[in-house]
Amino acid sequence: MRLTRTQVLTEAKAPDLESVRKLNCWGSKLSDVSILAEMPNIEVLTLSVNGISSLAPLAGCLSLCELYLRRNMIASLSELWYLRPMRRLRVLWLADNPCCGKNSSQYRLTVLRCLPRLQKLDNQVVTEDEILSAQMEGEEISAPANGAEQQLSTNGHDNAKKDSLGHNMGKTNLIFAYRTQELKMKPRSRDKFPTLHSQSTRSSMKKTHTLDAVLLLLKDLDHEDLRVVHMETQNRLRIYTLDSLKTLQDSQQSQSVELQQ
């Protein structure tokens, strides 16, 4: 069943779709909620107990603070990719969907890695320890097939109004892509003759381009975005340190064995 404009305005008691702040469609047998793309200012959305399988229509709802999706037909956690630009999202209820799987602990860590700003997931408070663990143990979520194209289509009307493509589509991902492409289009002078470089030199140059893109990206992030980057950087450094220590211990053990022989 498709959610219609009339249903939305009647339920929300709003004069138009842009005025809708709260909407409750619990148990309405919905499978098509594409009209949500026309509600950029909605803050609390209840869609529990329906037949929704994709979150693409929500991609432009950047004002969402609370989202209830319990008992739907969301098959893959990759659908959470559409929620990543929602910097105000603090409450998410996703339980009882096929994407949750049987390993509840891993599912929770994966969701929190994708959405580290959540304060409550499936009616349970999110702790700082969970966020740290999620960055190390949660699985990384990639965009669904044709995800970027769908989101571009969904957010088209917002882009015309706000004149900010990065804001409407998750500025972190898009700015990074733009900066990286910018660097590729404007190579440094020493890149004009790639055949003269060794494989190691080309690898080093690739890392340099990546670092340049990251540094450019940081200038476009706000305080909360930088906090997430800081947390992820600390986790990566911790993992790198542990790996280095393990490599050193293995080397020392190997040398010890050789001396004994």
Side-chain angles (χ1 to χ4, degrees):
M1 184 179 294
R2 180 172 175 269
L3 181 62
T4 66
R5 177 188 179 89
T6 301
Q7 286 176 293
V8 171
L9 298 181
T10 299
E11 175 63 33
K13 296 179 175 59
D16 54 62
L17 295 178
E18 291 191 356
S19 300
V20 176
R21 296 294 187 274
K22 296 183 179 181
L23 181 63
N24 188 341
C25 294
W26 189 96
S28 299
K29 300 180 180 179
L30 299 174
S31 58
D32 183 349
V33 291
S34 55
I35 196 171
L36 291 172
E38 301 178 42
M39 288 181 270
N41 301 312
I42 192 165
E43 298 174 356
V44 180
L45 179 59
T46 301
L47 295 171
S48 296
V49 193
N50 282 289
I52 299 167
S53 59
S54 175
L55 301 182
L58 280 68
C61 301
L62 301 180
S63 296
L64 265 179
C65 300
E66 300 180 23
L67 177 59
Y68 301 92
L69 293 163
R70 186 174 62 91
R71 290 182 60 186
N72 272 279
M73 299 300 294
I74 301 170
S76 173
L77 287 177
S78 64
E79 291 294 324
L80 295 179
W81 185 81
Y82 297 110
L83 307 185
R84 295 183 67 176
M86 300 178 185
R87 294 162 53 192
R88 298 182 59 191
L89 186 63
R90 295 294 182 267
V91 177
L92 174 64
W93 199 328
L94 190 64
D96 301 320
N97 274 275
C99 63
C100 298
K102 297 180 179 179
N103 189 337
S104 59
S105 176
Q106 185 62 35
Y107 146 76
R108 188 173 175 88
L109 291 175
T110 297
V111 174
L112 293 178
R113 175 169 180 172
C114 180
L115 305 172
R117 297 186 181 93
L118 287 180
Q119 296 177 355
K120 184 178 286 188
L121 173 61
D122 295 339
N123 207 32
Q124 293 183 19
V125 174
V126 175
T127 66
E128 291 186 5
D129 288 341
E130 280 188 302
I131 296 297
L132 289 173
S133 297
Q135 299 306 314
M136 299 177 65
E137 302 174 30
E139 297 178 12
E140 186 173 357
I141 290 177
S142 57
N146 301 320
E149 290 80 358
Q150 290 181 26
Q151 193 164 349
L152 275 168
S153 176
T154 300
N155 288 342
H157 64 288
D158 288 325
N159 295 340
K161 293 180 181 179
K162 297 184 179 180
D163 192 30
S164 176
L165 180 61
H167 175 68
N168 289 316
M169 294 187 58
K171 67 180 181 183
T172 300
N173 291 337
L174 290 182
I175 292 172
F176 183 82
Y178 171 79
R179 298 296 195 189
T180 303
Q181 185 63 27
E182 185 180 62
L183 288 168
K184 290 179 179 178
M185 293 173 65
K186 299 179 180 180
R188 300 178 181 182
S189 58
R190 66 174 180 269
D191 296 339
K192 293 180 179 179
F193 308 99
T195 55
L196 300 178
H197 299 154
S198 66
Q199 184 65 32
S200 61
T201 302
R202 287 195 293 270
S203 177
S204 177
M205 289 165 55
K206 181 178 180 182
K207 289 182 179 180
T208 300
H209 286 318
T210 301
L211 179 58
D212 288 342
V214 170
L215 294 176
L216 286 169
L217 169 64
L218 292 177
K219 298 178 182 179
D220 296 288
L221 302 183
D222 60 17
H223 178 270
E224 191 163 358
D225 293 327
L226 289 171
R227 184 183 65 81
V228 174
V229 172
H230 177 66
M231 185 181 299
E232 177 68 14
T233 302
Q234 285 184 316
N235 291 332
R236 293 296 296 271
L237 284 172
R238 188 180 297 111
I239 294 172
Y240 178 80
T241 301
L242 291 174
D243 288 343
S244 298
L245 287 174
K246 186 177 184 303
T247 300
L248 179 61
Q249 290 174 351
D250 291 343
S251 176
Q252 291 176 341
Q253 290 177 357
S254 177
Q255 290 177 2
S256 178
V257 171
E258 290 178 358
L259 290 174
Q260 291 176 0
Q261 294 178 345

